[in-house]
Amino acid sequence: MGQTMKPFDVYPVFDINIVKGERCSVWDDKGTKYMDLYGGHAVISVGHSHPSFIDALTKQAGKLAFYSNSVKNELQQELAERLGRMSQYEDYKLFLVNSGAEANENALKLASFYNRRTRVIAFKNAFHGRTSLTVEATDNPKIIAPINQNGHVTYLPLNDTESLVRELSKGDVCAVIIEGIQGIGGIQLPTSQFMQILQQECNKTDTILILDEIQSGYGRSGKFFAHQYDGIRPDLITVAKGIANGFPMGAVLISPQFTSIYGQLGTTFGGNHLACAAAISVLDIMEKEELVVNAKQVGDFLIDELRKMPYIKEVRGRGLMIGLEFDVAVREIRQRLLFEQKVFTGVAGNNVIRILPPLCLTMDEAQEFLSRLSAILHITI
Ligand SMILES: *Cc1c(COP(=O)(O)O)cnc(C)c1O
């Protein structure tokens, strides 16, 4: 009697009801405007409510929202062509899914189908998702259920070539999975030297190299993929978050050495017409507005300015993926930024603030953020 169904209480939510967005701003139901330096968790790539994005989605919804993967879908072909060209991976193939975890899960499966091995190397503080294999490759015991503890994964320290070479030389590793830049791990960058040795050792031992670019990819780092700073070409690259500006979608970019066998992979919703229309529109906007270049320019400016600010222990990142590490817990800083300065930011662990705005952030907005942050730091620390 008198009961109503409620959402399962899995997130400690802020009591703010966001109802509207435009570019790098969002509004709550009381009309208060917030700067979105969090991009709805690195998902909003081309900005909230972009007119061309709305147009592409509504046009496609009016034609055909979904039909099964049992028929040809020209939108998938168009998306693959554009993504190949913009990312400079024209010779790769594209498999479309619905989320980041699903992209990584499929990448790990592809690797295991390929070399028939079962051991995976991941890195300390990595996050790869919440499906059974990807959560096992995530270095966070709190979120790994007993059913996911299957002993497939060894975690190595990031940037430690010695342990990497030692493990790979055993010749029994199926895949190494690594983030282009660690996100939830606190915006930690692999060094170029480490990435190059990683690629070289994987080649030597027939180990598949999987680059998880779900957070660091799609232009966020100031290059299309973060690993493109390191001059490597992984066997499999996974993307999601920014790919369709909020429409759920994920993908695996697959190098030519893989052959597809009917029935091995599949999905009901993956690559559906609406998702493809959204993703094509994202690439279109990114290209026209040169958002990758913008991410680099505005990101470089922000990183430089943040490094000059007092109280911040370290500033790490590339492009518009920036971590601010403090000596103190950042909970109060984040709350004050949100409630007093009306700025959304993310966190990683206890003492890192994560900046992940839409890639269309302007210099003026970056400047405005710096002054709001400065105001908070002066009174908080
Ligand atoms: C968000 C994220 C994932 C998981 O993506 P979902 O869409 O939540 O499944 C995996 N890897 C990285 C690096 C991420 O940031």
Side-chain angles (χ1 to χ4, degrees):
M1 273 293 289
Q3 292 224 45
T4 48
M5 190 188 274
K6 294 198 180 77
F8 196 49
D9 208 3
V10 290
Y11 306 106
V13 297
F14 292 118
D15 188 19
I16 299 176
N17 185 15
I18 294 299
V19 293
K20 186 175 95 133
E22 196 185 312
R23 295 184 55 86
C24 299
S25 303
V26 290
W27 284 260
D28 68 14
D29 54 356
K30 301 180 185 76
T32 306
K33 181 180 177 180
Y34 297 82
M35 293 185 80
D36 188 9
L37 269 287
Y38 176 52
H41 204 67
V43 164
I44 304 302
S45 43
V46 300
H48 294 279
S49 307
H50 194 293
S52 322
F53 179 77
I54 297 172
D55 195 44
L57 264 179
T58 38
K59 277 205 177 115
Q60 189 58 47
K63 272 196 284 192
L64 181 71
F66 176 86
Y67 202 78
S68 113
N69 276 313
S70 65
V71 296
K72 197 161 117 186
N73 177 345
E74 282 182 345
L75 294 171
Q76 291 186 8
Q77 177 61 38
E78 185 183 342
L79 174 59
E81 273 175 35
R82 280 190 170 232
L83 179 54
R85 182 164 50 75
M86 283 184 68
S87 65
Q88 299 179 307
Y89 275 100
E90 285 101 332
D91 54 332
Y92 279 45
K93 301 237 160 46
L94 187 66
F95 179 59
L96 296 168
V97 291
N98 311 289
S99 69
E102 209 187 330
N104 282 339
E105 188 88 14
N106 278 286
L108 288 162
K109 274 197 207 177
L110 271 170
S112 184
F113 277 131
Y114 183 81
N115 60 22
R116 312 305 299 177
R117 300 174 187 164
T118 56
R119 275 190 74 207
V120 172
I121 301 285
F123 294 92
K124 297 258 180 231
N125 300 317
F127 182 86
H128 296 295
R130 292 168 179 275
T131 58
S132 90
L133 269 171
T134 63
V135 81
E136 209 193 328
T138 290
D139 182 23
N140 180 354
K142 260 201 330 223
I143 68 169
I144 305 180
I147 202 169
N148 307 130
Q149 279 160 354
N150 296 311
H152 292 299
V153 183
T154 307
Y155 309 103
L156 301 179
L158 187 67
N159 291 330
D160 179 30
T161 42
E162 208 181 295
S163 59
L164 179 76
V165 172
R166 183 172 3 100
E167 283 302 322
L168 288 183
S169 68
K170 293 177 183 167
D172 65 346
V173 177
C174 168
V176 177
I177 183 163
I178 183 168
E179 286 158 86
I181 297 171
Q182 281 193 345
I184 197 79
I187 314 293
Q188 299 287 355
L189 283 73
T191 65
S192 283
Q193 192 206 10
F194 183 73
M195 289 300 237
Q196 284 158 16
I197 291 172
L198 173 58
Q199 165 131 70
Q200 182 190 310
E201 294 300 313
C202 281
N203 287 348
K204 246 197 249 171
T205 56
D206 251 331
T207 307
I208 298 300
L209 176 55
I210 304 173
L211 243 298
D212 178 342
E213 292 273 6
I214 290 166
Q215 191 166 145
S216 54
Y218 250 80
R220 179 155 296 283
S221 74
K223 285 194 186 280
F224 199 91
F225 292 123
H227 70 261
Q228 289 172 323
Y229 283 96
D230 308 319
I232 61 163
R233 272 179 98 74
D235 303 301
L236 299 168
I237 303 163
T238 55
V239 291
K241 292 202 167 76
I243 186 173
N245 206 41
F247 200 94
M249 192 180 210
V252 192
L253 279 71
I254 303 168
S255 75
Q257 81 209 66
F258 291 88
T259 41
S260 61
I261 295 171
Y262 290 146
Q264 272 187 350
L265 305 182
T267 152
T268 298
F269 291 122
N272 70 75
H273 297 68
L274 264 184
C276 284
I280 291 167
S281 147
V282 163
L283 289 178
D284 203 44
I285 297 166
M286 279 178 67
E287 193 165 41
K288 282 198 183 116
E289 300 184 5
E290 299 185 5
L291 292 184
V292 186
V293 175
N294 188 68
K296 171 106 180 74
Q297 283 171 351
V298 181
D300 280 352
F301 166 74
L302 263 180
I303 290 171
D304 278 354
E305 293 301 311
L306 286 163
R307 285 192 173 139
K308 292 181 205 155
M309 280 172 79
Y311 309 117
I312 306 174
K313 186 176 159 198
E314 193 178 24
V315 178
R316 292 185 294 268
R318 268 184 170 141
L320 291 173
M321 181 166 183
I322 305 171
L324 315 178
E325 185 173 331
F326 291 85
D327 278 322
V328 297
V330 293
R331 196 170 165 271
E332 188 185 343
I333 299 171
R334 187 195 193 197
Q335 296 241 2
R336 287 189 161 207
L337 269 173
L338 180 56
F339 291 108
E340 293 169 22
Q341 296 292 325
K342 314 295 179 203
V343 181
F344 272 99
T345 56
V347 288
N350 277 328
N351 51 2
V352 177
I353 295 263
R354 259 193 299 175
I355 310 295
L356 307 156
L359 307 183
C360 58
L361 191 78
T362 63
M363 284 290 190
D364 284 351
E365 286 168 324
Q367 193 70 66
E368 177 63 25
F369 164 64
L370 289 167
S371 56
R372 293 192 195 188
L373 175 66
S374 176
I376 286 301
L377 294 186
H378 283 300
I379 54 170
T380 312
I381 300 181

